Amino acid sequence: MNKFVTFEGMEGVGKSSVIQYIDEKLKEKNIKAVVTREPGGTKLADKLRDLVLRSDEELILPETELLLLLAARKQHIEHFIRPHLQKGYLVISDRFFDATYAYQCGGRGLPTSVLEKLNALLGLNFYPDFTFLLDAPINTCLSRLKNREKSDRFDTEDLEFFRKVKSSYLNRANDDPKRIVKINCDEDFEVVCKTVLNKLIQKIAQ
């Protein structure tokens, strides 16, 4: 069962809710699964997450943001993802490296060549077995953000930023259709969740 599955999508698309539903259904089926997130997944990575997400007086430069995220990912891979895969778990992560391409390269405008060189240098060329890209209209996602009790730096970005993020995500899905499964989330929540669950069960059975 040791498969690594990631969920991607912009803020407000419903990732966390879908993952919670999936996690509950997998437990009912007695499937050995564990859920994690990025940035985060270990004690040190969670501390780096706080640095990346919180609003501070000092502006976090795009390059600094990228380096913090990659540092967290290295810890996450070596101290959480790999060990659980070795123990036979299905590992589900809320975001992974596709998010870095979408947000830091797409949204922030950092060159993909820089990210790829850093990935190679740091040993971060670690790929999910498959990825679900949850997609919905930007206006729908931004409307949902208004109802959040807590927000972070990314929640307050402008419309153009999210357009770039969404475009980057869709381009990656088009470039890697065998790995990335795009899911339309502009539908009834229960329908979306059941669609994802069915596709996930099919994938892990392969």
Side-chain angles (χ1 to χ4, degrees):
M1 183 60 69
N2 55 336
K3 302 270 189 185
F4 179 36
V5 183
T6 58
F7 280 76
E8 298 284 357
M10 59 175 283
E11 274 75 9
V13 78
K15 276 188 301 78
S16 298
S17 298
V18 172
I19 291 173
Q20 182 179 354
Y21 175 96
I22 296 299
D23 187 36
E24 291 172 357
K25 294 302 178 182
L26 292 177
K27 283 184 172 62
E28 290 176 7
K29 296 177 181 293
N30 294 317
I31 293 176
K32 192 177 177 181
V34 63
V35 173
T36 185
R37 67 179 182 179
E38 284 217 347
T42 74
K43 289 182 178 179
L44 178 55
D46 281 337
K47 291 178 181 178
L48 293 171
R49 176 187 178 89
D50 289 338
L51 291 176
V52 171
L53 297 184
R54 74 185 184 194
S55 299
D56 237 330
E57 292 182 2
E58 182 176 349
L59 176 67
I60 299 179
L61 299 172
E63 295 84 355
T64 305
E65 182 178 275
L66 174 62
L67 292 171
L68 288 169
L69 289 167
L70 295 184
R73 179 163 303 138
K74 184 67 175 179
Q75 293 295 121
H76 192 205
I77 290 172
E78 302 303 335
H79 292 294
F80 187 91
I81 297 172
R82 285 192 196 276
H84 279 86
L85 289 174
Q86 290 168 357
K87 293 176 183 176
Y89 281 88
L90 168 65
V91 179
I92 298 174
S93 183
D94 184 342
R95 296 199 195 283
F96 195 61
F97 77 131
D98 290 300
T100 312
Y101 281 94
Y103 281 80
Q104 282 65 54
C105 296
R108 303 286 188 220
L110 293 175
T112 56
S113 59
V114 170
L115 175 56
E116 288 164 357
K117 287 177 181 177
L118 287 170
N119 283 340
L121 180 66
L122 300 173
L124 291 173
N125 289 321
F126 184 84
Y127 293 85
D129 291 288
F130 48 95
T131 298
F132 288 101
L133 172 58
L134 306 188
D135 185 49
I138 293 178
N139 289 338
T140 299
C141 294
L142 296 183
S143 176
R144 292 172 181 171
L145 288 182
K146 295 177 181 178
N147 297 322
R148 282 188 175 176
E149 293 182 5
K150 294 182 179 180
S151 61
D152 57 46
R153 288 196 309 119
F154 291 95
D155 292 342
T156 58
E157 290 289 347
D158 60 22
L159 180 60
E160 183 58 25
F161 176 84
F162 286 117
R163 282 176 176 162
K164 292 176 181 177
V165 168
K166 181 182 175 74
S167 176
S168 181
Y169 266 136
L170 293 178
N171 287 338
R172 291 189 65 75
N174 291 332
D175 291 341
D176 196 358
K178 289 186 178 180
R179 176 177 65 86
I180 302 176
V181 179
K182 191 171 73 169
I183 302 292
N184 177 21
C185 291
D186 194 24
E187 297 183 18
D188 178 76
F189 176 73
E190 192 77 14
V191 172
V192 171
C193 289
K194 287 182 178 179
T195 298
V196 174
L197 180 63
N198 289 337
K199 288 182 179 295
L200 176 61
I201 296 299
Q202 290 172 8
K203 288 284 188 180
I204 62 179
Q206 293 176 357

